[in-house]
Amino acid sequence: MGTAQLRMVPEAQALATLRRGFQLGINWVHTAPDYGGAEVLVARAIAETGRDDIRVFSSSAGTVEHFGWTFENTCRLLGRKRLEIFGISGIDYCEESGLDVWGPCGLLAFLEKMRRAGRLKHIFCSTHGAPEYVGRLIASKRFDAIMLSYNPLGFHVLSYHGAAEGKAFEDLKRNCGEIFPLARKQRIGLLVIKPLAGGLLCRSRAFPAHRRFSEEAEPLRAAEVLRAILHHPEVSAVAPGMACVEEVEENALAGCGPVDPSLEEQRRLDRTVAELQRSLCSRCGECESTCSRSLPVSWLFREGYIWNYPADTFEALGRLHYFKLHPDEEPACARCDRRTCRCPSGIDIPAGLIRVHEQMRRLRRQGLMHATPEELEGRTVEGPVRVRVVCRELALPLEGGAPNRCRLWVENAGEDNWLSFFTQPHLAVSLGLAVSADGAQRQLLPLLHDVGPGQRTHFAYDFQVPQGHESCRVRAELQICRRNGVTGESTLLFDEHVRVE
């Protein structure tokens, strides 16, 4: 089970998801300190279910000092002095950032020291590096397992044109053809992430697509895809992100009984994947030199996919915001009278970009995507806590007599760290989000993880409006809290009346 998306659902839903997964036999879960407090929720769910056979694959990055602190904090949260496995998150990015990964006092040396001391059994790393890079990780023989992306589609929501960033990015097809056999030969475990392509391969239950940009004749089920991946003998485990009970119930059952897909299942999978590949941009970048307008085609498609298949919106980059790349109201392709662009997969690029642009304008009007960096500069909210609201997702009008989901993505705009009771148990004060509807149903959502200056966090909650109301007053404020209650000091984020139907 992957847990990165749990930051975007209410705590009760996150815990119910984890508990149900453990009940159905899921026995390893991947999390990380930068997953918006998921580590805290995983530890709580394990304690509630009473299972002692669940392997928590946690990973971190940063300086050696910070890395060591996250290792100790993971031990504390799980109530264990010895971890089954711990790893380095995005090891290729760590190297690019100049972090000490391989040195005698680096991140890997720290893990090996913990293993010699009997506090760690296995070492792993995650990577989105090119196959040549992954091959070097395997050849080093210093890892027991490697976490990497793979799915039958050959790309996922977050795939990008690496050459445009001066980087050789992952290649899922080569991962399967070259890395899988190499890992098997060296007896290194492979842990597969992005197995459902971030929602491109099949419909997400926790985060339904605002709009799908494919029209496959036979939509795939998650279990079919997961079984096809598990069928590879080199794959130790597959980790789809799960954020609701329905996803868990479908995904967990994919690992029960024989994982070999039937012949008909395999044919159906192949047919649908071929359809998807003809209608979705892989972000290979091959077309960009052929565009008469010099558009960053792959980045525009990537932004469109991130915000319309919204399970990974927290990975959206401000510097590549869709409306920074394409600020015009009218799509550039609609005005183009010299369409020279060519896609090696046969995608109609102008038609595809026009659809993406129209949908992105719609999402922006509805408030369902983040602000540009320039817009954010003008949205600083002053108060005891200095904050910017990156995005507020609240479907309007509200629905009377039914739960209404609100999701806030906020940025620490001050100079001080926001510290959490869960990561800093000695704290006297922390932060919480106080929310209410019509002055009632007041909830205080605790901050689950530390948030440094310029960093971001999510709060998600549900509230119900009685039927018959024509409007509702919704309010949210960042509240400074003591362990025994609130202090009264707060920064108001919004307080407004909205329409109810």
Side-chain angles (χ1 to χ4, degrees):
M1 177 188 293
T3 62
Q5 289 84 21
L6 294 183
R7 74 187 82 187
M8 302 197 332
V9 300
E11 183 178 299
Q13 180 174 325
L15 288 171
T17 301
L18 290 162
R19 284 194 298 263
R20 185 61 176 145
F22 299 153
Q23 290 167 0
L24 290 173
I26 287 176
N27 61 357
W28 77 270
V29 54
H30 177 245
T31 186
D34 62 347
Y35 278 9
E39 268 197 328
V40 172
L41 301 173
V42 167
R44 191 184 305 174
I46 290 174
E48 289 176 4
T49 52
R51 285 183 55 186
D52 57 7
D53 64 329
I54 297 170
R55 294 172 173 84
V56 178
F57 285 62
S58 192
S59 56
S60 183
T63 64
V64 176
E65 292 75 18
H66 175 75
F67 191 74
W69 180 87
T70 58
F71 177 87
E72 297 295 346
N73 195 57
T74 299
C75 291
R76 182 185 63 80
L77 287 172
L78 296 173
R80 302 172 184 175
K81 291 185 177 180
R82 178 178 185 268
L83 296 180
E84 180 79 13
I85 189 165
F86 196 84
I88 302 172
S89 294
I91 188 170
D92 48 320
Y93 293 111
C94 289
E95 287 196 65
E96 290 171 16
S97 302
L99 295 171
D100 185 356
V101 175
W102 301 92
C105 297
L107 303 181
L108 191 51
F110 170 84
L111 294 175
E112 290 171 338
K113 179 182 176 181
M114 292 297 101
R115 184 160 59 185
R116 289 193 300 272
R119 299 195 58 203
L120 178 63
K121 187 174 181 182
H122 297 298
I123 295 171
F124 84 105
C125 65
S126 66
T127 179
H128 288 286
E132 291 81 5
Y133 180 83
V134 183
R136 291 195 293 273
L137 295 177
I138 293 173
S140 74
K141 298 183 179 180
R142 297 179 74 176
F143 301 96
D144 301 300
I146 291 176
M147 181 177 285
L148 78 176
S149 302
Y150 174 70
N151 62 62
L153 184 60
F155 53 89
H156 51 79
V157 160
L158 301 178
S159 293
Y160 68 88
H161 177 30
E165 295 283 289
K167 176 181 168 69
F169 193 57
E170 64 189 2
D171 185 321
L172 274 61
K173 185 176 180 180
R174 289 181 61 199
N175 278 350
C176 181
E178 300 172 25
I179 298 304
F180 282 20
L182 183 61
R184 189 180 191 186
K185 181 179 178 180
Q186 297 293 339
R187 298 182 61 80
I188 289 177
L190 288 180
L191 314 170
V192 169
I193 55 175
K194 301 299 177 190
L196 304 177
L200 296 179
L201 266 168
C202 52
R203 287 164 169 76
S204 170
R205 297 176 184 271
F207 303 101
H210 297 302
R211 175 174 179 175
R212 291 187 68 83
F213 293 103
S214 59
E215 297 179 358
E216 56 272 34
E218 302 174 277
L220 294 170
R221 296 185 298 274
E224 295 175 274
V225 181
L226 298 177
R227 276 198 295 272
I229 296 173
L230 286 168
H231 181 59
H232 290 275
E234 304 90 348
V235 173
S236 304
V238 60
M242 307 185 206
C244 70
V245 169
E246 292 80 6
E247 285 183 341
V248 166
E249 290 178 339
E250 179 175 8
N251 295 350
L253 292 176
C256 296
V259 296
D260 297 348
S262 68
L263 182 60
E264 177 51 35
E265 253 188 349
Q266 188 60 53
R267 286 175 175 168
R268 203 164 79 87
L269 178 67
D270 292 342
R271 284 195 302 269
T272 300
V273 165
E275 283 184 293
L276 293 170
Q277 290 170 335
R278 290 192 296 268
S279 59
L280 294 171
C281 174
S282 69
R283 275 63 45 81
C284 71
E286 291 294 321
C287 67
E288 296 201 350
S289 62
T290 70
C291 175
S292 62
R293 298 282 181 117
S294 300
L295 293 175
V297 176
S298 59
W299 287 115
L300 294 174
F301 274 117
R302 184 180 191 265
E303 275 283 291
Y305 295 164
I306 286 176
W307 288 100
N308 282 281
Y309 302 80
D312 293 302
T313 52
F314 49 84
E315 297 282 6
L317 302 174
R319 64 184 176 84
L320 295 166
H321 192 288
Y322 184 87
F323 291 103
K324 280 181 66 70
L325 301 175
H326 191 327
D328 298 341
E329 283 293 305
E330 186 182 0
C333 293
R335 303 190 304 270
C336 183
D337 55 3
R338 186 167 169 262
R339 294 184 173 182
T340 58
C341 48
R342 296 290 180 269
C343 171
S345 298
I347 294 173
D348 184 338
I349 295 172
L353 286 181
I354 289 171
R355 284 196 299 271
V356 166
H357 190 75
E358 291 171 347
Q359 179 63 9
M360 295 298 274
R361 288 181 59 202
R362 185 176 298 114
L363 293 182
R364 195 183 204 191
R365 288 195 301 269
Q366 295 171 338
L368 296 178
M369 62 179 298
H370 64 163
T372 66
E374 292 76 17
E375 290 168 338
L376 267 184
E377 284 299 317
R379 293 188 184 182
T380 302
V381 183
E382 302 289 350
V385 183
R386 201 164 186 261
V387 61
R388 297 186 184 100
V389 178
V390 180
C391 185
R392 184 188 78 170
E393 296 180 50
L394 178 62
L396 297 176
L398 301 179
E399 186 177 352
N404 292 272
R405 174 71 48 88
C406 183
R407 185 180 297 117
L408 285 175
W409 190 12
V410 299
E411 179 180 296
N412 181 348
E415 298 179 355
D416 298 324
N417 291 312
W418 297 351
L419 301 178
S420 166
F421 288 138
F422 296 98
T423 53
Q424 310 282 347
H426 60 281
L427 283 182
V429 295
S430 181
L431 285 180
L433 182 75
V435 298
S436 64
D438 275 349
Q441 300 183 34
R442 185 178 174 87
Q443 304 174 52
L444 183 63
L445 314 177
L447 183 69
L448 295 179
H449 65 113
D450 299 343
V451 183
Q455 294 180 343
R456 298 173 176 181
T457 189
H458 285 79
F459 293 98
Y461 59 96
D462 291 329
F463 62 92
Q464 188 157 326
V465 182
Q467 286 183 321
H469 286 216
E470 295 183 356
S471 68
C472 176
R473 180 187 179 190
V474 293
R475 178 183 174 93
E477 54 192 320
L478 272 180
Q479 184 86 55
I480 298 176
C481 311
R482 299 190 186 278
R483 288 190 176 275
N484 59 351
V486 299
T487 65
E489 297 179 90
S490 64
T491 298
L492 182 65
L493 301 183
F494 58 85
D495 185 0
E496 59 193 66
H497 284 83
V498 295
R499 190 161 57 91
V500 179
E501 285 187 351

